[in-house]
Amino acid sequence: DAVWEGRFETIHQNPLIIVDGAHNREGMDAFFESARDFSDIKIIFSALGDKDTHHMLKTLLSLSKDITVTQLAEDFPVKIDEDWKHAVDEAYSHKGVVFITGSLYFISKVRQYILSK
């Protein structure tokens, strides 16, 4: 029953928005295991350049083709929106589940932004 802020944490209902600080390979693999049972998934992702973003994006693409990346998209078939607040605001119109994941810094900013609305 423990709650760890930013770890597969539900921060909004309707749409269901879950944040997870999957900021490295192991974290992304754990996130995948928790998220794979959901459907109609939209993902917003941001990570720092020193991380294995290739593995993380490949893993995310196995969950959904609806991915918005705020930076470091490489050559993956994802949307790019460098304004993460815009990406989050647009996600409110999604009818399924919205996962917001990546660096712990990014997750803390998003979490604060959504909870202050």
Side-chain angles (χ1 to χ4, degrees):
D1 294 325
V3 175
W4 189 355
E5 291 179 353
R7 294 293 185 176
F8 218 80
E9 177 187 11
T10 299
I11 60 171
H12 192 270
Q13 297 288 340
N14 199 20
L16 178 61
I17 300 177
I18 298 172
V19 296
D20 189 85
H23 64 284
N24 57 29
R25 177 183 280 267
E26 295 78 16
M28 185 57 68
D29 292 345
F31 168 76
F32 172 82
E33 290 301 318
S34 297
R36 69 181 181 175
D37 292 331
F38 288 82
S39 60
D40 195 8
I41 296 172
K42 176 177 188 57
I43 298 171
I44 301 172
F45 173 74
S46 182
L48 301 175
D50 65 337
K51 303 299 180 184
D52 188 355
T53 57
H54 184 85
H55 172 77
M56 291 190 277
L57 285 168
K58 187 175 176 183
T59 301
L60 292 174
L61 281 165
S62 68
L63 290 170
S64 176
K65 301 302 179 215
D66 187 357
I67 299 175
T68 301
V69 176
T70 64
Q71 58 190 6
L72 304 173
E74 296 185 38
D75 291 328
F76 285 99
V78 296
K79 294 174 246 171
I80 300 171
D81 188 342
E82 293 180 3
D83 181 354
W84 64 266
K85 288 182 180 179
H86 178 260
V88 169
D89 290 340
E90 283 200 334
Y92 279 94
S93 65
H94 185 70
K95 301 298 183 206
V97 62
V98 177
F99 289 118
I100 304 176
T101 187
S103 75
L104 297 176
Y105 176 77
F106 174 62
I107 293 306
S108 69
K109 291 297 215 182
V110 169
R111 189 176 181 282
Q112 179 182 13
Y113 178 70
I114 292 174
L115 293 176
S116 71
K117 288 183 159 246

